[in-house]
Amino acid sequence: MTCYHTLIVNGMVPSSEGLSIQQSNIIKVENYVYNNSPYKMILAGSSRTAKIESDYFGQAQVANIGIRGGASQTGLELVNRNHDKPPLLLVEMNGTIAQGVNRELVEAAYHPLFYWIRRYIPIFKQEYQPVAVAIEILKNWRGISAENLEQQRVEELLRNPQMRQNTLRPVLQERREEFTVKQINQLTEESQILKHKISELETQGVRVVLFDVPGDPLVDQTPQRIQEKELMKQLFPPENYEWIPEHPPRDWITTDGIHLARSEAREYASFIMNYLGAV
């Protein structure tokens, strides 16, 4: 264990991105919570936000705590618990807020015993678990990466219109129906929690900016998606909350109708930076 720890500290062991969605989320949260460096900007949201990599924003100290299968509330809870507050917090705002806070993920990161151990002894962090690291080394050796695999899929979708239609069909079918009264009530309830968290952070000097990640144009034109956008603007009116404006119409390329391809996520990150630099 001592030798393994030494190799990690000296940068000779590659970190893992996780073998599952759950482990990937844990790694992302641990990297944020146990990093001693202050951040200038943080992105909180769901897997849609998770696709917008931190390094797409250039040299700025940016942390992306978008949780796959989760929501913005988890990110806000993490920021609220962290002593160092960022000057700028971007919060994804759409139907994913119905997921609420992932308490298990948050409490695990701030466990009273393991918090200090993981902060100063990286061998106990998920990104350096031996099995995950071994698979990461094997993938690097074989030239396999998530980026390459995604690029292959995107190229197939662009070459094969039928494959794109088959990919979009279940998403389009799911979103052709508007929200039920129960779903609207749940979103409204969760929005109240978000409003309270946002207010708390703003009183501590954090500039909170809301945004909604675009997706495939066909999906964004479905009845449910249109209703979703309208509902968020009603719950968080632009006269009371700062919103990043919608990107001009564009045929966004996604991997599944919802999540932007990496090249598109980079384009959207550039759009965000242009907005923030202009205000």
Side-chain angles (χ1 to χ4, degrees):
M1 288 182 66
T2 302
C3 292
Y4 189 52
H5 173 74
T6 302
L7 291 173
I8 292 173
V9 172
N10 290 318
M12 300 178 68
V13 175
S15 60
S16 169
E17 295 182 356
L19 303 179
S20 64
I21 290 177
Q22 181 181 7
Q23 189 177 44
S24 296
N25 285 337
I26 293 173
I27 290 171
K28 176 170 289 190
V29 170
E30 287 184 346
N31 284 338
Y32 168 68
V33 172
Y34 305 138
N35 192 328
N36 294 319
S37 302
Y39 292 103
K40 294 182 179 179
M41 182 171 75
I42 293 176
L43 290 85
S46 69
S47 55
R48 301 182 195 181
T49 293
K51 293 297 295 286
I52 309 172
E53 301 284 350
S54 300
D55 59 10
Y56 294 169
F57 295 91
Q59 299 301 313
Q61 292 174 294
V62 179
N64 184 324
I65 46 178
I67 304 300
R68 296 169 66 186
S72 297
Q73 292 95 310
T74 301
L76 265 68
E77 182 68 19
L78 292 168
V79 172
N80 192 52
R81 290 199 184 199
N82 199 317
H83 176 71
D84 293 318
K85 300 294 188 292
L88 179 60
L89 174 62
L90 303 185
V91 182
E92 178 189 338
M93 204 64 64
N94 47 47
T96 60
I97 66 172
Q99 300 296 323
V101 178
N102 187 327
R103 293 289 176 188
E104 182 179 355
L105 195 60
V106 175
E107 296 304 328
Y110 283 98
H111 190 283
L113 173 60
F114 295 116
Y115 175 86
W116 297 108
I117 293 176
R118 292 173 183 145
R119 183 158 190 166
Y120 296 106
I121 309 178
I123 192 175
F124 291 102
K125 295 169 65 177
Q126 284 291 319
E127 65 179 326
Y128 292 116
Q129 293 303 298
V131 173
V133 169
I135 292 178
E136 193 71 31
I137 292 173
L138 180 62
K139 287 163 59 179
N140 291 338
W141 178 66
R142 297 185 61 184
I144 300 173
S145 68
E147 186 171 358
N148 290 338
L149 292 174
E150 181 188 283
Q151 184 59 35
Q152 291 176 14
R153 175 171 175 76
V154 169
E155 290 175 357
E156 290 177 1
L157 288 171
L158 292 175
R159 285 197 307 266
N160 189 341
Q162 185 60 48
M163 182 179 178
R164 177 172 177 262
Q165 290 179 17
N166 293 338
T167 299
L168 291 179
R169 186 176 294 112
V171 184
L172 294 173
Q173 185 173 359
E174 178 186 356
R175 292 174 176 269
R176 67 183 180 184
E177 301 292 337
E178 293 191 346
F179 289 124
T180 64
V181 173
K182 181 179 179 180
Q183 289 174 313
I184 293 176
N185 290 339
Q186 184 179 7
L187 288 169
T188 303
E189 290 175 7
E190 289 296 334
S191 73
Q192 299 306 311
I193 297 173
L194 267 169
K195 288 178 180 180
H196 178 67
K197 293 293 184 183
I198 290 172
S199 178
E200 281 186 333
L201 291 168
E202 287 179 333
T203 59
Q204 298 177 68
V206 179
R207 175 188 172 192
V208 179
V209 182
L210 312 183
F211 71 102
D212 183 21
V213 185
D216 187 284
L218 292 178
V219 175
D220 279 352
Q221 292 167 11
T222 57
Q224 187 183 110
R225 182 69 171 126
I226 293 172
Q227 182 191 25
E228 182 181 41
K229 292 181 180 181
E230 293 175 348
L231 181 60
M232 290 301 107
K233 289 297 177 68
Q234 291 173 11
L235 295 172
F236 299 88
E239 56 267 27
N240 298 330
Y241 296 89
E242 182 179 3
W243 280 82
I244 289 177
E246 287 197 21
H247 192 287
R250 172 188 170 94
D251 289 334
W252 294 101
I253 301 172
T254 68
T255 56
D256 55 6
I258 297 173
H259 301 92
L260 293 176
R262 291 172 188 260
S263 59
E264 302 294 274
R266 190 183 295 274
E267 165 66 24
Y268 188 63
S270 177
F271 174 73
I272 290 176
M273 291 300 292
N274 287 337
Y275 168 78
L276 295 175
V279 295

